[in-house]
């Protein structure tokens, strides 16, 4: 049996492999834990090497804090149609790997939109590395918990 | 090591805070071999860094401030010296760690270069995220500091700043594959996409 791989296929593979190599480690994020945030989208900034989603979260006292969530690169998000699906003001539930120092930020895992649809950011295998059952809700809106 | 963190702090506070809507973009400095993203354009100044060994080298400092967050990038040029990069990183970490309590410290990688990332709670109530790397005869130290009274506010911006660091060549070319710093998606869609 002969097996032929076109140059085009190889080229696409090389390009995707290049994008899959993160430009930095994710040492500041605690990838052994996942937390959820309920809030409203403030801003989606699609940019390389990483895009960012800002979400405004209210705590139990009504105090607002802005969370910055690191996403994949621009090409990945564009392929998934993020720019058409996420809008400022949308109520969302975000799952993330929190920062180790408790700051208002994290590595994005997934987002559930107002219509119930769930999106990831296309980083694929290795992205969701949280220990099963380790997801802790932050937003029964207990808020930032003194952070 | 003597580096003027007081100068940085005063500079960060003195630079008029900008309250405009966030508009992050990448700033590239091929002469310094570095690119990073900020919400406002940085001011550039020059200083010097003195190691415990007495070696003194020139530094270029890029500083900016928005709301309660002060950003700075210090680039120290060690060309012509014979320092051990890891020792310089360690001395830098030790020096800045002395400005407060280290909440977190870890080895980190950017563009294949190994360095350190720290989170420091300072005695004055500010919080700092710090990245320290040494490559191409240069020491790079990024400091994103949220200022009191509510140092938690804006703390997410400091991680964005820290994670935007990348190293570039003298010609401004990438030192890795990809198209970092380019807004948009596939070729032909390079326009801003802020929502």
């Amino acid at each position: 049996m002969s097996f032929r791989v076109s140059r085009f296929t190889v080229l696409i593979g090389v390009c995707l492999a290049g994008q899959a190599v993160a430009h930095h480690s994710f040492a500041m994020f605690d990838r052994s834990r996942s937390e959820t945030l309920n809030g409203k989208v403030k801003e989606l900034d699609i940019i390389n090497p990483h895009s960012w989603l800002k979400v405004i979260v209210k705590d139990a006292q009504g105090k607002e804090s802005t969370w910055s969530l690191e996403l994949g690169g621009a090409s990945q998000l564009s392929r998934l149609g993020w720019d058409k699906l996420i809008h400022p003001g949308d109520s969302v539930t975000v799952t993330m790997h929190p920062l180790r120092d408790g700051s208002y930020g994290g590595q994005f895992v997934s987002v559930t939109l107002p219509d119930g649809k769930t999106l990831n950011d296309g980083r694929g295998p290795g992205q969701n590395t949280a220990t099963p059952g380790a997801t802790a809700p932050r937003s029964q809106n207990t808020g930032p918990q003194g952070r | 090591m003597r580096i003027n963190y007081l100068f940085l702090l005063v500079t960060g506070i003195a630079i008029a805070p900008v309250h405009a809507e966030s508009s992050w973009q990448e700033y590239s400095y091929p002469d310094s071999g570095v690119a990073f993203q900020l919400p406002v354009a940085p001011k550039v100044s020059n200083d010097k860094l003195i190691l415990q060994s007495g070696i003194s080298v020139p530094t270029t400092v890029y500083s900016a401030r928005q709301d309660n967050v002060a950003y700075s990038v210090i680039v120290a040029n060690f060309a012509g010296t014979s320092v051990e990069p890891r020792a310089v990183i360690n001395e830098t970490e030790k020096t800045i760690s002395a400005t407060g309590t280290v909440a977190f410290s870890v080895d980190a990688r950017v563009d294949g270069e190994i360095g350190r990332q720290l989170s420091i709670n300072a005695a004055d109530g500010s919080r700092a995220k710090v990245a320290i790397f040494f490559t191409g005869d240069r020491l790079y130290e990024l400091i994103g500091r949220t200022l009191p009274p509510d140092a938690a506010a804006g703390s997410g911006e400091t991680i964005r700043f820290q994670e935007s660091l990348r190293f570039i060549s003298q010609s401004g070319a990438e030192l890795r594959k990809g198209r970092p710093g380019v807004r948009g998606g596939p070729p032909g869609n390079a326009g801003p996409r802020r929502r």
Side-chain angles (χ1 to χ4, degrees):
Chain A
M1 183 192 327
S2 65
F3 184 74
R4 295 177 60 191
V5 179
S6 73
R7 288 179 186 174
F8 179 73
T9 303
V10 171
L11 181 62
I12 292 295
V14 168
C15 289
L16 291 175
Q19 291 191 358
V21 177
H23 105 283
H24 61 69
S25 56
F26 294 90
M28 296 297 276
F29 303 109
D30 185 351
R31 300 177 84 185
S32 70
R33 291 195 300 133
S34 293
E35 293 187 0
T36 57
L37 297 171
N38 287 331
K40 288 188 183 297
V41 172
K42 180 179 182 184
E43 182 180 283
L44 170 64
D45 199 4
I46 297 180
I47 186 171
N48 283 324
H50 298 281
S51 302
W52 290 84
L53 176 66
K54 282 189 189 174
V55 177
I56 299 171
V57 176
K58 273 188 186 175
D59 66 14
Q61 286 72 45
K63 184 186 175 190
E64 291 185 342
S65 54
T66 301
W67 287 69
S68 298
L69 304 159
E70 182 174 326
L71 299 156
S75 297
Q76 293 160 318
L77 297 187
S78 295
R79 261 199 318 273
L80 295 167
W82 270 65
D83 51 338
K84 298 177 182 67
L85 294 169
I86 305 263
H87 306 93
D90 284 352
S91 293
V92 293
T93 298
V94 177
T95 303
M96 61 156 189
H97 298 315
L99 282 164
R100 293 180 188 275
D101 70 352
S103 296
Y104 295 157
Q107 183 189 11
F108 175 89
V109 175
S110 67
V111 59
T112 302
L113 304 178
D115 64 2
K117 184 174 183 178
T118 297
L119 289 177
N120 65 31
D121 62 350
R123 278 184 281 196
Q127 178 184 0
N128 301 312
T129 55
T131 306
T135 301
R138 175 175 295 284
S139 57
Q140 282 144 16
N141 285 322
T142 50
Q145 300 174 347
R147 295 176 183 216
Chain B
M1 170 183 290
R2 210 169 76 213
I3 186 161
N4 203 338
Y5 290 115
L6 181 61
F7 163 78
L8 281 177
L9 187 61
V10 170
T11 302
I13 292 170
I15 292 174
V18 177
H19 299 282
E21 186 63 26
S22 169
S23 181
W24 283 75
Q25 62 178 283
E26 184 171 79
Y27 296 89
S28 298
Y29 298 94
D31 287 347
S32 292
V34 70
F36 46 83
Q37 294 175 18
L38 286 170
V40 292
K43 295 184 184 306
V44 184
S45 58
N46 296 297
D47 203 344
K48 63 181 177 183
L49 181 152
I50 304 171
L51 296 181
Q52 287 176 341
S53 61
I55 293 174
S56 176
V57 296
T59 63
T60 304
V61 181
Y62 307 90
S63 306
R65 182 172 169 192
Q66 185 178 57
D67 297 328
N68 73 322
V69 188
Y71 307 89
S72 60
V73 179
I74 304 162
V75 182
N77 190 345
F78 282 84
T81 70
S82 55
V83 296
E84 170 58 40
R86 191 72 211 194
V88 175
I89 290 174
N90 291 343
E91 189 174 331
T92 305
E93 179 178 358
K94 185 178 175 185
T95 302
I96 196 162
S97 294
T99 64
T101 303
V102 177
F104 183 72
S105 174
V106 67
D107 276 333
R109 173 183 52 77
V110 169
D111 292 340
E113 303 294 338
I114 303 298
R116 297 288 291 174
Q117 289 182 333
L118 300 86
S119 180
I120 298 171
N121 297 324
D124 65 358
S126 66
R127 291 185 184 184
K129 282 194 182 60
V130 182
I132 307 167
F133 289 86
F134 195 112
T135 180
D137 287 335
R138 297 187 188 93
L139 171 75
Y140 297 91
E141 186 176 14
L142 272 79
I143 306 171
R145 186 183 299 277
T146 52
L147 305 171
D150 186 7
S155 56
E157 300 292 69
T158 57
I159 188 66
R160 176 170 184 174
F161 172 57
Q162 187 178 75
E163 299 286 82
S164 73
L165 171 67
R166 63 190 185 91
F167 302 116
I168 59 177
S169 70
Q170 282 280 346
S171 66
E174 318 293 348
L175 294 185
R176 63 177 288 274
K177 301 269 186 190
R179 291 175 285 123
V182 177
R183 234 176 252 284
N189 291 334
R193 291 189 173 206
R194 185 177 305 283
R195 302 298 304 231

